[in-house]
Amino acid sequence: MTSGRVNPNFRLEDQGIEGIGTVHYNLIEPALMQAAVKRGEGQIGKGGTFLVTTGKYTGRSPKDKHVVKTEGVADKIWWDNNAPMEPAAFDVLEADMLEHMKGGEYFVQDLVGGADPTCSIKVRMVTELAWHGLFIRHLLRRPDRAELDDFVADFTIINCPDFKADPAKHGCRTDTVIALNFDKKMILIGGTEYAGENKKSVFTLLNYLLPEQGIMPMHCSANHAIGNPVDTAVFFGLSGTGKTTLSADPKRTLIGDDEHGWSDRGTFNFEGGCYAKTISLSAKAEPEIYATTQKFGTVIENMVFDEETFDLDFEDDSLTANMRCAYPLEYISNASDTGLGGHPKNIIMLTCDAFGVLPPIARLTPAQAMYHFLSGFTSKVAGTERGVTEPEPTFSTCFGAPFMPRRPEVYGNLLRDKIATHGATCWLVNTGWTGGAYGTGSRMPIRATRALLTAALDGSLSEAEFRKDPNFGFEVPVAVQGVAEVLLDPRRTWEDKSAYDAQAAKLVQMFADNFEQYVPYIDDDVKAVAIG
């Protein structure tokens, strides 16, 4: 039995996926929510949101992601970062998953990854859960209904949370598996209900495909000046550094909050929606994102709520600190209609430095930009994981190592070439701690960060006086209107200056030790930055 709109020549059975009991093709939001409620997957919240919990997994499972080591990709994949799976094991996994699906009810969404039609890909998402269909319908780009009549996917993703992998049979690590087969143009996901695996699988896919076209895939948010896409800014950053918050500037047009490409035509969003963290989300500080938590169809994931009033508790992290909401981009009033921007005029690299060493903003040379891009530094802080009792450095190359199938220098060289061609100005922005490390100092004031970003993006910061940072060699402004001067020199914010010096030396050494892995692959100007 089938329902919904689909290319009559591209049903699941045309792909060799047979024996499924009921298939729903391209249901729109109300129908997906009705199905999800009927199936007991969650419940309707205030404003028509959908409230759901994801059980055992409330975040991604990066150690359970595998790339199938076929002849076509064996020499292209960064195997130090991507666990291999043998083709024969994948074939058994596929056969067992398709057998698992027989007689079941499944939801198909035919969607697009990439706002630029010259380099977008068509993705078929097959989900065991109706709400996963709702989620990915928000996060990818939705074709017009008429376009579905001749839609043929470039890649197919099948997600079966109830399927448990067998490491002995399937060549994986646990009973949870994410397996990417670039030759078969298929991704299989099993054993996890966390919806973020769906969108990050598409991101990983684009991170593999686009570099061969000379397109830079980026784990970043992006915006542009209102009415002026030429004035585009991108914000690289790992989770918790402020990508979503800082790009959602009401004085600028939001292109997207997480994944973009940079082609010869400019910047383009991969997605059609946003997946925002909601822990401590404030109606005052982030009114537009907060408002989406009471809008129709928004997926509210792993949030505690009042069983009687359905009021959300933005401070209760008893389910997870990684509580989130997923919503279509048009729910943000200043979002771009096209998902397109110009070549980045400014590149912002965000870091949350819990060591309290880095300044709130610094200007980078192209070589320094590549150094910090390949480093991808941020910090875990005490309490985020069991056993973490002091700030713990995290170096995630290209600000997104879990999603990078190719070697880091592939992306680094693309970024270097794009910067050289289009003349972007690069900045490092620290949204972490000042006046001491985590536990002693305080979080960088968001008002100061916004003032510094405004000055960087409107060009006025380039006219400021700069000093050379003695630890990293980049340029730091001496004075910026609206920002306390002491804040611009982190050493001055520490009561114990010798303690700052020791902490700074420790962090510089951490950077150097991490960067040794890239030295054989980089140019002399970047080596000079690494060596100091």
Side-chain angles (χ1 to χ4, degrees), residues 120-137:
S120 61
I121 62 168
K122 295 179 178 178
V123 177
R124 166 162 283 182
M125 181 70 66
V126 184
T127 63
E128 199 167 53
L129 295 172
W131 81 264
H132 273 200
L134 176 66
F135 172 91
I136 202 63
R137 186 171 170 79

Side-chain angles (χ1 to χ4, degrees), residues 263-285:
S263 73
D264 291 339
R265 292 155 54 94
T267 308
F268 62 98
N269 193 356
F270 288 168
E271 301 184 307
C274 300
Y275 190 34
K277 280 192 171 185
T278 54
I279 188 167
S280 300
L281 186 64
S282 161
K284 182 178 180 181

Side-chain angles (χ1 to χ4, degrees), residues 239-242 351-354 378-379 381 430-449 487:
S239 180
T241 56
T351 182
C352 175
D353 173 25
T378 194
S379 304
V381 296
N430 174 25
T431 60
W433 269 256
T434 184
Y438 173 80
T440 302
S442 57
R443 196 71 188 257
M444 196 72 69
I446 184 68
R447 182 175 296 180
T449 301
L487 200 65

Side-chain angles (χ1 to χ4, degrees), residues 187-507:
I187 301 173
L188 303 178
I189 304 172
T192 173
E193 293 184 32
Y194 182 66
E197 298 288 9
N198 296 314
K199 89 179 206 92
K200 289 305 186 185
S201 291
V202 178
F203 186 38
T204 304
L205 182 58
L206 288 164
N207 282 335
Y208 176 77
L209 296 173
L210 293 182
E212 289 189 346
Q213 302 175 48
I215 298 169
M216 174 68 186
M218 302 180 291
H219 187 213
C220 71
S221 57
N223 62 26
H224 66 71
I226 294 175
N228 183 16
V230 172
D231 184 2
T232 291
V234 299
F235 301 76
F236 287 101
L238 295 163
S239 180
T241 56
K243 278 201 322 297
T244 298
T245 299
L246 295 173
S247 60
D249 183 342
K251 297 178 182 178
R252 294 174 65 86
T253 297
L254 178 67
I255 303 172
D257 83 326
D258 196 38
E259 301 167 6
H260 294 79
W262 184 359
S263 73
D264 291 339
R265 292 155 54 94
T267 308
F268 62 98
N269 193 356
F270 288 168
E271 301 184 307
C274 300
Y275 190 34
K277 280 192 171 185
T278 54
I279 188 167
S280 300
L281 186 64
S282 161
K284 182 178 180 181
E286 300 177 83
E288 294 232 55
I289 298 174
Y290 186 91
T292 69
T293 63
Q294 292 192 31
K295 289 192 175 182
F296 179 80
T298 293
V299 175
I300 305 294
E301 190 179 73
N302 294 319
M303 286 193 71
V304 174
F305 59 91
D306 187 288
E307 296 287 347
E308 181 180 349
T309 66
F310 290 87
D311 289 335
L312 299 172
D313 190 332
F314 293 88
E315 302 303 326
D316 189 337
D317 63 355
S318 57
L319 292 176
T320 177
N322 192 37
M323 58 180 80
R324 290 180 180 262
C325 63
Y327 50 89
L329 199 60
E330 58 263 27
Y331 280 4
I332 302 298
S333 63
N334 64 324
S336 167
D337 293 332
T338 64
L340 302 173
H343 297 290
K345 184 177 176 182
N346 287 280
I347 294 173
I348 316 296
M349 297 184 185
L350 299 168
T351 182
C352 175
D353 173 25
F355 295 87
V357 168
L358 296 175
I361 196 165
R363 185 167 60 188
L364 306 176
T365 66
Q368 289 169 340
M370 189 169 177
Y371 177 80
H372 285 278
F373 178 70
L374 290 175
S375 297
F377 167 74
T378 194
S379 304
K380 294 177 184 177
V381 296
T384 58
E385 292 182 8
R386 188 172 58 186
V388 177
T389 57
E390 61 179 31
E392 184 176 296
T394 298
F395 291 93
S396 184
T397 189
C398 309
F399 295 98
F403 325 117
M404 302 298 167
R406 296 179 183 270
R407 280 204 54 86
E409 60 269 14
V410 171
Y411 307 104
N413 289 335
L414 271 170
L415 182 65
R416 177 200 61 198
D417 294 345
K418 297 286 186 188
I419 291 172
T421 301
H422 302 289
T425 302
C426 301
W427 307 90
L428 182 70
V429 171
N430 174 25
T431 60
W433 269 256
T434 184
Y438 173 80
T440 302
S442 57
R443 196 71 188 257
M444 196 72 69
I446 184 68
R447 182 175 296 180
T449 301
R450 288 193 182 280
L452 290 166
L453 279 174
T454 297
L457 298 185
D458 69 18
S460 61
L461 188 55
S462 294
E463 305 303 318
E465 178 187 351
F466 286 81
R467 64 176 178 85
K468 184 176 180 179
D469 182 84
N471 299 304
F472 287 92
F474 42 49
E475 293 185 316
V476 181
V478 174
V480 178
Q481 186 174 359
V483 179
E485 282 191 28
V486 66
L487 200 65
L488 296 169
D489 185 348
R491 188 175 189 272
R492 289 176 59 195
T493 67
W494 282 55
E495 186 174 336
D496 184 341
K497 304 298 190 286
S498 61
Y500 171 85
D501 293 338
Q503 188 85 316
K506 179 180 177 182
L507 184 59

Side-chain angles (χ1 to χ4, degrees), residues 77-100:
I77 301 297
W78 181 23
W79 294 114
D80 291 343
N81 187 61
N82 294 271
M85 176 181 284
E86 291 302 316
F90 181 88
D91 291 344
V92 175
L93 175 65
E94 180 186 3
D96 287 350
M97 188 172 284
L98 295 184
E99 183 64 29
H100 164 86

